[in-house]
Amino acid sequence: MSRRGLAAVASVLDQAASSATNILVLVLAARLSSASAFADFSMVYVTFSVLLGLNMAYVGQSLVLEKGEGLGAACRSAAGFTGAASAAAGVLLAVVGLALPGATGRAFLALGLVLPLVLLQDGLRYCFSALRAPERALAADALRLVCVVAALALQPEGASAGRLVLAWGLSALPALGLGLWLLRPYVRGSRADLRPYLRRGHLGQRFVVEFAVGNGSSQLAVLGLGVFATPLAVGALRGATTLFGPLNVLFNSANAFGPPVLGRLAGKRATVRATVALGLVLAAVGAGWATTLYLLPDRLGRELLGDTWASASALLPATGAQYAVMGLGTCALLTLRVLAPKATLSLQVVFSLLSVGLLLGGYAVWGVAGAAWALAAGSAIKALAAWLRVARLDPAAPQPDEPRRAAAPAA
């Protein structure tokens, strides 16, 4: 296998390891906790997921577009900014945790204490991606997976959400140390410069907008259910989506490796044929996975999610439908990313906000089940709109300009 092929395999395995970590964290937390404690843990983990996505968009996605001899300095700067920003966010979360009463407050306080560790450890993946060394990211993330599973497995049954958050966060230390050691040869002698991240017009600002309306808005809406409705709703929705974690690996891999492959195809027609086929495959896989989970015996379901299985299993038809149409939507947006990159932002803004409105309205009218079906409806409408936008592209027109890359020469 060529070096490029090995790098692609390492990248897929690294994404799988990262996704498996998120899945197993939630599964183990659900098994160890009561339904109410898992609801508190889920609210904290949703908050972490939003912050993780913001860091990925602002720092990670702009970093992987860097080229040239300044990659070492760019990686050191990215790591430095991630550490400083996550420390500031951790202080704010700790203050929020002190202000909130009971177990929920202690869980947010714990997140504030460990946030710099977990965000910096995850952020190193983008450094290795920019440096074309995914095997180093895989080594660190594989160690992270082993450590977090061991740390949570050692916790007693009935552990509080705050204790579980601390165990999850502190278990990132070995992987963080390994990642920094593996990064050291690339950044030795370079200086960090955080000023570009603070300037107006930084490329990450555009990516943050896309994340905020595409992913962060729905995460915040789910979190809002826990604040204004009941934390148990968050636990049920989070438990159901946790079971579909393997599909997130497929979607993320399609987004990571799709553009370079599709960019080699000749014109719109060939690109659309490829993405339609991929979308149908992902939709079929999503439907098949949902069917498998729905037919899972309750005994096995409780082994996976503990007390949360009872509420989460009732949402599997809706969540399965959502993931099936998400496969089609992912490929529609992937098509636009290749053929008309500037078309994706408006779609993300309009239809992601629509999904949030549907989520909150569905919960208000039909409870948690209504919220889950509303999310599925929002994903379906967004996928349909994206494919209609693809259909309106002129097949004879040249491809629009791609998002601006760093001006440094190619390595």
Side-chain angles (χ1 to χ4, degrees), residues 280-378:
L280 291 173
V281 169
L282 291 179
V285 171
W289 185 250
T291 302
T292 301
L293 292 173
Y294 187 73
L295 297 176
L296 199 68
D298 285 343
R299 178 179 59 82
L300 294 179
R302 285 191 293 270
E303 287 293 321
L304 288 173
L305 292 181
D307 292 342
T308 304
W309 169 255
S311 57
S313 61
L315 306 182
L316 288 177
T319 307
Q322 179 190 4
Y323 271 82
V325 296
M326 278 174 61
L328 294 171
T330 295
C331 291
L333 293 172
L334 180 59
T335 308
L336 291 173
R337 180 71 74 181
V338 174
L339 298 177
K342 295 180 181 179
T344 58
L345 181 56
S346 59
L347 283 169
Q348 294 277 33
V349 170
V350 173
F351 292 98
S352 295
L353 294 179
L354 174 63
S355 293
V356 171
L358 290 172
L359 167 68
L360 298 176
Y363 181 81
V365 178
W366 294 294
V368 181
W373 279 111
L375 283 175

Side-chain angles (χ1 to χ4, degrees), residues 268 336 347 384-395:
K268 174 193 171 185
L336 291 173
L347 283 169
L384 177 61
W387 279 116
L388 290 174
R389 181 67 180 87
V390 171
R392 291 199 301 269
L393 293 177
D394 183 358

Side-chain angles (χ1 to χ4, degrees), residues 28-369:
L28 289 171
R31 292 184 62 182
L32 290 168
S33 309
S34 64
S36 60
F38 183 68
D40 288 333
F41 184 88
S42 295
M43 290 184 65
V44 169
Y45 208 77
V46 169
T47 303
F48 162 72
S49 298
V50 172
L51 294 173
L52 179 66
L54 289 173
N55 185 68
M56 173 199 69
Y58 195 80
V59 181
Q61 289 190 13
S62 59
L63 176 63
V64 297
L65 299 180
E66 295 282 353
K67 299 178 181 178
E69 298 179 355
L71 271 177
C75 290
R76 182 183 284 272
S77 301
F81 180 82
T82 297
S86 60
V91 171
L92 291 177
L93 283 172
V95 171
V96 170
L98 291 172
L100 291 174
T104 302
R106 290 191 291 273
F108 275 98
L109 174 60
L111 177 61
L113 295 175
V114 301
L115 186 68
L117 301 178
V118 292
L119 279 189
L120 183 55
Q121 190 276 320
D122 186 86
L124 294 180
R125 290 197 295 128
Y126 300 96
C127 294
F128 292 124
S129 178
L131 294 165
R132 297 178 178 85
E135 69 282 354
R136 298 191 175 219
L138 175 58
D141 286 337
L143 179 60
R144 169 66 169 143
L145 174 60
V146 171
C147 291
V148 74
V149 169
L152 291 177
L154 291 174
Q155 303 308 307
E157 188 172 351
S160 66
R163 175 169 179 159
L164 293 176
V165 171
L166 281 177
W168 159 75
L170 292 175
S171 67
L173 274 171
L176 175 59
L178 176 62
L180 291 173
W181 180 73
L182 292 173
L183 182 64
R184 184 180 178 185
Y186 295 96
V187 301
R188 185 184 294 114
S190 59
R191 296 183 59 184
D193 184 6
L194 308 188
R195 290 173 298 178
Y197 289 99
L198 305 176
R199 291 174 186 155
R200 184 177 181 181
H202 172 61
L203 188 59
Q205 293 168 9
R206 176 184 176 89
F207 297 141
V208 162
V209 173
E210 290 208 20
F211 167 79
V213 297
N215 298 307
S217 56
S218 60
Q219 295 274 24
L220 289 173
V222 172
L223 187 62
L225 291 181
V227 175
F228 299 109
T230 167
L232 293 176
V234 180
L237 288 170
R238 195 66 178 177
T241 55
T242 296
L243 298 173
F244 288 85
L247 296 185
N248 289 328
V249 177
L250 295 179
F251 296 163
N252 291 334
S253 297
N255 283 320
F257 300 106
V261 174
L262 295 173
R264 300 190 187 103
L265 300 179
K268 174 193 171 185
R269 185 167 300 176
T271 300
V272 171
R273 279 201 303 263
T275 52
V276 166
L278 179 60
L280 291 173
V281 169
L282 291 179
V285 171
W289 185 250
T291 302
T292 301
L293 292 173
Y294 187 73
L295 297 176
L296 199 68
D298 285 343
R299 178 179 59 82
L300 294 179
R302 285 191 293 270
E303 287 293 321
L304 288 173
L305 292 181
D307 292 342
T308 304
W309 169 255
S311 57
S313 61
L315 306 182
L316 288 177
T319 307
Q322 179 190 4
Y323 271 82
V325 296
M326 278 174 61
L328 294 171
T330 295
C331 291
L333 293 172
L334 180 59
T335 308
L336 291 173
R337 180 71 74 181
V338 174
L339 298 177
K342 295 180 181 179
T344 58
L345 181 56
S346 59
L347 283 169
Q348 294 277 33
V349 170
V350 173
F351 292 98
S352 295
L353 294 179
L354 174 63
S355 293
V356 171
L358 290 172
L359 167 68
L360 298 176
Y363 181 81
V365 178
W366 294 294
V368 181

